[in-house]
Amino acid sequence: MQSNKMKKKPMILAFALGTCLGIQVSAQNPNIAKQVHHDRIFLQDYSIKNVGSLSTANQFSLASDRNGVVQILEGNQLLRPYGGQFQVNGKLVADRSYLPMKDKKVLAIDRYQDHLVYIDGEAVFSNAWAGVVFLKHTLSNPTAFAGGDDFTFLAAAKNKLQLLKKGKAPYAFSLPAGVNILDVVFDAAQNQFWILGEKELFSFSPKSRTLTKAVTADQLTAVAIHAAKNQLVIGTKNGFFTYDLKTKKQSEVNQKLPWTEITTIQSDAQDIWFGTTMGAFKMDAAGEFSYYFGERWLPGDQVKDLIVQGNQTHILTENGLGTIVFEEMTLARKAEILEKQMRERHLRHGFNSSLNLLEAGNLASGQLDDSDNDGLWTTMYLAGEAFRYAVTKSPEALQNCRESLEAMERLYTVNDVEGFPSRSFERSGYIEQLSDPERWQHASDPEWDWKSTTSSDEVIGHIFVFGVMAEIVDDPWIKAKSIELLDAVMTHIVKNDLYLIDFDGKPTLWGKWNPDYVNSFPTSVGDRKLNSSNITAMLQTAYHFTGKEMFKEKAFELMDKYGYLDNMMRPMEGIGRSGDDGDDWAKMLSDGWNHSDDEMYYVGYWGLYRYAFDKDLQAKYKESIVDHWEAERPEKEGLWNIMTALVQPENFDLEESIWFLERHPIDLIGWTVKNSHRKDIELLDANFRGQLTKEVLSPSEIKIARHNANRFSLDGGSGGKTEYSPGDIWLLPYWMGRYLEVIK
């Protein structure tokens, strides 16, 4: 992020085992009832990928057995996944488990009674049951088969079929000429096979040996038994429909799907999985979709086959096998996993940093990246660790606070400008290899360089975390150092007429809170409201912890004389484009909703509300904060909702907050995602806020993004070339929720 004003132009559903939301009395204020979430078990999804291009255009089969063995048939070769782990790709290798199998020309594989079964040009056979299953057929190049009751199998080749049973001669029959059989499935409840062609679906009773045409439709591709509803689910090249096995009635074709070109279907209890030419999706009993598309989940786009096995769904694509794992987890356990990621891969000199990947998805190729906002991202992680320590008294969390606070302190001491925070610092000699080399300056210490032009989003983040740590971290050095740095930067700002003055003696581009600047904007331009809110929060925080009257006096001067309180109290619905009464700068700043501004508002709300000069002001601040929250609610942004619990714990969209935390991926690699092609989303007309759809998509389906991004963005990502830090993205909202006692 270049600055707080840079403009960007144009899963499985984790679920709870029971409800855990309730209303409780606040321990901090017994007069206030609050919403509380008690941690619960949910299913966290993540992917294990085993890559390998499949060379043939068809003849794919995928099956697994009760032991978790997964086999893939490509052409006549049996493959199996090997070596894949979470965030570490494995590969597809030849399966040499049974030596005689290498000489078998296997044509299809399937699962029967939890074991692997094969068909070749001679028989249906298996290596299970001590190898006694060997049922000969006389079909030419069979392509599909299924097992029924008591080791009865139905095998198919083009339009020819044979019913096979041990000790009996094959029963042969045919479908009408021209029918090409795509698949065969068995319905145990009705004791009948279903035979799918490209335009027709037939039932066959093995008992009466009766063949019946049940469905005629165009472009059929897949069929599955959905026992929970006693129906067939039938896929086409443009949607799916159902067929009720009792009433024999066929539904309308459902085309309001993530993608409509269906290649395969599998039923799993109440859920139905669909493979398509653009990823896979699951439909639950309520008709809600979870979409798995892109390299976060799958090595390829075109789903050839899929199977559901326990807590895993194996999805075969043209570029290998993606296994979606659903692991029972709690938020507390998820926090441990993401804390480990943070500490192992995202610390640079104590800063909370992204990891740039020289090879897409390869964490071993990672290089820690400097950022314009090293200070801001670090303050957000540091605040989360402060909340963690306040809740748990963890020595590890306390040490993490010390180390990152040392990095924050050095932002002030590495340069020679008193009270001025650098954006970042790095060892000398690397300026040309760092981002924005023109912003870097040489420090007095020849071993180091520092980054100038610090912006307002950096400063408000500093004030936020200095206040948090000074208040809640019971450690003398941390408290003293936080107050010292808070005093230094705010003294610099007040003494410089509410400007942040850089090494060149000039204000930085964004470090401006002076009334001449703030009130130069039309009231519709968000910067007028934002800067008023931020500087008031900053001055209140400084006064609260230092007791210096100049901070309080300046704040009331701004509110009473220059209308900063009025600026703050203007409703969010009035924020929009500047119109003809604004200059070019105002027009640029107001060409659309700036989500970095939301981040600045919210980190400022801690000091604005918590350290308010009096109760009357606090009530006004609450009104302004809740008004902002109402505008943000459609995004279901976990951090904004939980921060709103600071002022309104009885009503802050707790359920949506937990939705954000539970459904957020634990794979934070910036894989490219695409959703704009989906048929199940309702697009909105272009609007100022950039809300593209009526409902925001799950965090598991959109790009990995920090809290300053538009959560309605449908497409994006870095092509797998970045791993983002969970420190600010996930750990901050979780631990703030724990500290505010809305998550227990």
Side-chain angles (χ1 to χ4, degrees):
M1 183 171 106
Q2 294 296 310
S3 77
N4 61 312
K5 292 299 170 190
M6 286 298 173
K7 305 293 180 175
K8 295 179 176 61
K9 303 288 188 184
M11 129 184 140
I12 187 86
L13 173 68
F15 68 96
L17 303 181
T19 180
C20 297
L21 304 180
I23 301 293
Q24 294 189 4
V25 175
S26 169
Q28 297 177 357
N29 188 344
N31 295 319
I32 297 178
K34 64 168 64 176
Q35 292 180 284
V36 177
H37 170 80
H38 293 273
D39 208 353
R40 63 194 180 187
I41 294 173
F42 63 94
L43 293 182
Q44 176 66 55
D45 49 352
Y46 59 89
S47 178
I48 295 174
K49 287 167 279 187
N50 288 276
V51 301
S53 296
L54 303 183
S55 58
T56 55
N58 44 40
Q59 288 191 341
F60 295 103
S61 294
L62 175 66
S64 63
D65 69 11
R66 60 185 293 268
N67 303 309
V69 174
V70 178
Q71 277 190 335
I72 298 154
L73 179 67
E74 181 198 9
N76 303 124
Q77 182 183 16
L78 290 174
L79 308 174
R80 67 188 303 172
Y82 176 78
Q85 303 173 48
F86 174 57
Q87 294 188 316
V88 178
N89 284 353
K91 56 187 178 180
L92 300 183
V93 299
D95 191 332
R96 299 183 175 90
S97 303
Y98 284 82
L99 178 62
M101 293 295 291
K102 71 181 182 66
D103 295 323
K104 295 281 189 182
K105 187 179 178 182
V106 177
L107 298 171
I109 60 175
D110 204 349
R111 179 182 177 125
Y112 180 72
Q113 293 190 4
D114 291 334
H115 289 289
L116 294 167
V117 183
Y118 312 89
I119 190 169
D120 65 5
E122 182 182 9
V124 170
F125 66 97
S126 177
N127 295 312
W129 304 287
V132 299
V133 174
F134 190 84
L135 304 174
K136 286 191 173 185
H137 64 80
T138 58
L139 294 167
S140 176
N141 293 317
T143 56
F145 73 101
D149 283 346
D150 194 23
F151 291 90
T152 298
F153 291 85
L154 184 63
K158 295 186 178 178
N159 70 325
K160 309 294 185 182
L161 297 111
Q162 290 186 3
L163 186 67
L164 310 174
K165 187 171 179 62
K166 187 176 181 180
K168 294 186 178 181
Y171 172 73
F173 62 101
S174 301
L175 299 186
V179 174
N180 185 34
I181 297 172
L182 302 177
D183 200 4
V184 179
V185 298
F186 181 68
D187 174 15
Q190 274 75 219
N191 187 24
Q192 60 186 354
F193 290 95
W194 289 91
I195 306 158
L196 181 71
E198 294 172 340
K199 294 184 178 182
E200 297 161 311
L201 180 68
F202 300 85
S203 66
F204 174 73
S205 169
K207 185 176 181 180
S208 65
R209 298 184 176 180
T210 302
L211 179 69
T212 305
K213 182 190 293 188
V215 172
T216 300
D218 291 331
Q219 298 184 314
L220 302 180
T221 58
V223 63
I225 310 294
H226 188 34
K229 293 188 176 180
N230 197 33
Q231 62 184 202
L232 298 177
V233 182
I234 303 161
T236 78
K237 291 185 178 181
N238 192 20
F240 80 91
F241 60 93
T242 60
Y243 177 83
D244 190 287
L245 291 168
K246 183 177 181 180
T247 65
K248 313 298 183 186
K249 290 184 178 180
Q250 176 178 327
S251 74
E252 296 295 323
V253 177
N254 184 350
Q255 296 174 333
K256 196 173 182 180
L257 311 173
W259 192 241
T260 58
E261 191 173 359
I262 294 167
T263 58
T264 184
I265 306 173
Q266 288 288 316
S267 173
D268 177 38
Q270 296 292 329
D271 302 330
I272 306 170
W273 281 86
F274 297 84
T276 78
T277 54
M278 294 189 73
F281 61 90
K282 181 195 73 77
M283 185 177 73
D284 66 17
E288 299 294 327
F289 299 114
S290 297
Y291 189 32
Y292 295 90
F293 177 55
E295 288 186 87
R296 179 184 300 159
W297 301 111
L298 304 174
D301 296 341
Q302 300 175 35
V303 176
K304 304 295 186 180
D305 202 355
L306 68 81
I307 54 174
V308 182
Q309 181 180 25
N311 69 332
Q312 299 182 342
T313 298
H314 304 288
I315 303 173
L316 182 65
T317 75
E318 79 278 15
N319 291 325
L321 185 72
T323 297
I324 314 299
V325 180
F326 309 109
E327 183 175 329
E328 287 191 351
M329 196 172 290
T330 62
L331 291 179
R333 172 57 183 150
K334 190 169 183 175
E336 292 174 358
I337 292 170
L338 294 177
E339 183 74 38
K340 187 172 186 290
Q341 284 187 22
M342 169 67 205
R343 300 304 298 182
E344 286 184 349
R345 298 198 290 270
H346 294 284
L347 285 171
R348 185 182 71 86
H349 302 314
F351 290 130
N352 170 29
S353 300
S354 296
L355 191 69
N356 280 348
L357 307 179
L358 300 180
E359 300 174 22
N362 183 0
L363 296 174
S365 71
Q367 174 181 298
L368 287 166
D369 185 30
D370 73 283
S371 161
D372 259 13
N373 296 96
D374 277 343
L376 175 60
W377 307 140
T378 303
T379 63
M380 297 177 80
Y381 165 64
L382 188 47
E385 289 301 286
F387 292 129
R388 177 187 170 200
Y389 176 72
V391 170
T392 67
K393 302 303 178 187
S394 161
E396 178 189 70
L398 183 61
Q399 182 61 24
N400 295 344
C401 287
R402 290 193 182 108
E403 292 175 5
S404 289
L405 184 55
E406 287 172 350
M408 295 297 298
E409 179 187 22
R410 195 148 192 236
L411 290 174
Y412 291 82
T413 61
V414 72
N415 69 70
D416 296 327
V417 183
E418 186 174 358
F420 182 86
S422 311
R423 283 187 182 271
S424 186
F425 58 80
E426 190 50 275
R427 297 185 185 277
S428 62
Y430 296 92
I431 285 180
E432 296 305 320
Q433 301 175 47
L434 301 173
S435 62
D436 305 306
E438 71 281 358
R439 300 188 181 194
W440 287 84
Q441 310 298 324
H442 297 301
S444 300
D445 183 341
E447 295 297 319
W448 293 91
D449 295 321
W450 64 280
K451 198 171 191 179
S452 61
T453 70
T454 305
S455 64
S456 51
D457 45 358
E458 290 285 287
V459 176
I460 190 61
H462 290 214
I463 303 304
F464 164 58
V465 79
F466 294 154
V468 167
M469 292 197 297
E471 178 184 355
I472 73 173
V473 179
D474 188 18
D475 178 88
W477 180 82
I478 287 178
K479 285 182 178 293
K481 184 58 63 177
S482 298
I483 294 171
E484 174 190 328
L485 297 175
L486 169 62
D487 189 11
V489 65
M490 289 309 299
T491 297
H492 172 104
I493 290 169
V494 171
K495 287 187 174 181
N496 285 292
D497 203 19
L498 301 181
Y499 291 106
L500 191 64
I501 302 299
D502 213 334
F503 72 98
D504 57 3
K506 300 177 182 179
T508 65
L509 181 62
W510 303 110
K512 301 173 182 178
W513 302 272
N514 183 281
D516 290 343
Y517 176 78
V518 173
N519 287 337
S520 69
F521 294 111
T523 56
S524 62
V525 176
D527 290 65
R528 181 165 179 156
K529 177 180 173 74
L530 170 65
N531 286 28
S532 299
S533 178
N534 275 185
I535 191 62
T536 305
M538 291 153 60
L539 291 166
Q540 285 187 162
T541 305
Y543 175 74
H544 182 87
F545 290 104
T546 69
K548 293 184 177 181
E549 288 296 323
M550 68 172 179
F551 298 130
K552 184 175 183 180
E553 290 170 0
K554 181 59 67 175
F556 275 104
E557 177 188 352
L558 294 174
M559 287 190 286
D560 296 340
K561 183 177 179 180
Y562 294 102
Y564 277 34
L565 182 59
D566 292 337
N567 290 344
M568 280 187 277
M569 295 306 297
R570 288 193 178 91
M572 279 291 175
E573 67 180 5
I575 301 301
R577 293 181 174 86
S578 65
D580 295 336
D581 56 341
D583 58 18
D584 290 343
W585 185 247
K587 290 177 181 177
M588 185 277 292
L589 292 178
S590 62
D591 67 351
W593 193 267
N594 192 323
H595 296 271
S596 287
D597 288 359
D598 293 325
E599 188 168 60
M600 294 174 65
Y601 275 115
Y602 270 96
V603 296
Y605 287 159
W606 181 271
L608 185 69
Y609 182 81
R610 203 166 180 95
Y611 311 132
F613 291 123
D614 57 53
K615 294 295 184 183
D616 289 340
L617 279 174
Q618 190 176 59
K620 289 182 178 296
Y621 299 152
K622 176 180 178 179
E623 180 183 343
S624 178
I625 293 168
V626 171
D627 172 72
H628 187 185
W629 169 71
E630 289 285 359
E632 292 298 316
R633 292 179 74 180
E635 290 194 33
K636 299 184 182 180
E637 223 292 348
L639 183 56
W640 305 162
N641 280 325
I642 288 172
M643 282 183 159
T644 303
L646 176 70
V647 305
Q648 190 167 272
E650 74 282 3
N651 179 19
F652 64 96
D653 284 348
L654 174 60
E655 187 173 351
E656 287 77 3
S657 305
I658 303 307
W659 175 86
F660 174 91
L661 292 171
E662 288 185 347
R663 298 195 194 180
H664 201 285
I666 56 174
D667 179 356
L668 299 188
I669 293 175
W671 297 111
T672 297
V673 301
K674 184 178 179 182
N675 290 286
S676 56
H677 61 282
R678 294 174 62 162
K679 311 297 185 182
D680 63 321
I681 57 178
E682 184 176 340
L683 297 174
L684 302 181
D685 293 336
N687 55 77
F688 180 75
R689 285 192 60 88
Q691 181 174 340
L692 302 179
T693 56
K694 183 177 180 180
E695 297 291 336
V696 70
L697 295 175
S698 165
S700 67
E701 297 171 3
I702 61 176
K703 67 179 182 180
I704 300 297
R706 289 185 148 118
H707 299 289
N708 63 332
N710 181 1
R711 301 201 63 78
F712 283 97
S713 295
L714 295 174
D715 304 336
S718 65
K721 291 296 190 74
T722 305
E723 185 187 50
Y724 291 92
S725 166
D728 50 291
I729 292 175
W730 197 93
L731 292 171
L732 173 58
Y734 171 72
W735 285 112
M736 178 179 275
R738 289 284 304 273
Y739 177 77
L740 295 176
E741 297 180 333
V742 296
I743 301 174
K744 291 190 177 182

